[in-house]
Amino acid sequence: RFERRDVIVNLGKAEAILPFREQCPRESYRAGDRVQAYVKDVSREAGGHQVILSRTDPRFVVKLFEKEVPEIYEGIVKVTAVAREPGERTKLAVTSSDSDVDPVGACVGMKGSRVQAVVQELRGEKIDIIPFSMDLARYVCAAIAPAVVQRVLIDEKNHQIELIVADDHLSLAIGRRGQNVKLASKLLAWNIEIHSESRIAEVKGVLKEALCHISGLDESQV
C-alpha cells in the first residue's frame, strides 16, 4: 500500500517501508507488485521496530550480483568497490581469489545473462564491471573505460590523478553530465581530472613561450 509517496511492503509477519528518497528515479509501483530491496536499517520506534528498505543503496547492486553470481556468494569473486548513480549507472570493481576464475567474466555470465538479470531488476540501469588492480594506473584506466587513456599522472600526496586522453575521447571519458569521471572518482576514492591532448599541448606552448622570455634562455634550451 502507499502512504503519501512512501511504499509499505508486506514482509509476511511484518511490514517494511520503502521511503520515497530510497526509490530509484522513474520507478513506479502498484499494489500487489513484488519488490526486491536492500534492508538499509531497522529502527526502534514507539510502536515497535521499523524496517527501512532501499533500492538506491549501492549495496543493493552488490546483493543482486551475489544472488546471480555463485562465485560471489561462495567468496571466490569479491566486490572490492562500488559507485552508483541510482537509475543511471553503476561501476563495480571485482577481483578473484582463484587465478582460474575471471571475475569480470563470472559477473557478466554466459552471453551476458547474469549482468542482464541485474540490469533488468534495476530497470535498465547501466552497469560497468571493472577488474580491480593494485596497480593504480591500470585500475584507473579500467575505471574510466570506455575512454582510452594516453597518459596517467599520479599525485599521491594530494590523492589526485590526472588523465590525458585523445581529443575525440574527452567527452567519453567525462561522460554525460560528468557522470563517468564522477563514478570513477568515487570508485577509486581519488580525485580524477581529465585533460585532452590538445589542451596539454596548448599549455606546454604557453609555458615554453613564457620561459623563452627569461633572460639567457633560447627555444632550444626549453
Side-chain angles (χ1 to χ4, degrees), residues 35 109 135 150 163 195:
V35 176
D135 181 335
Q150 304 292 333
L163 302 178
H195 305 288

Side-chain angles (χ1 to χ4, degrees), residues 41-76:
D41 193 18
V42 180
S43 61
R44 186 187 294 273
E45 297 186 356
H49 289 81
Q50 178 73 69
V51 179
I52 311 295
L53 303 179
S54 175
R55 283 181 60 86
T56 62
D57 195 297
R59 291 170 292 184
F60 179 49
V61 181
V62 177
K63 286 296 179 184
L64 288 174
F65 271 99
E66 189 177 296
K67 181 183 171 191
E68 295 294 333
V69 182
E71 291 88 345
I72 293 180
Y73 182 78
E74 292 164 7
I76 299 168

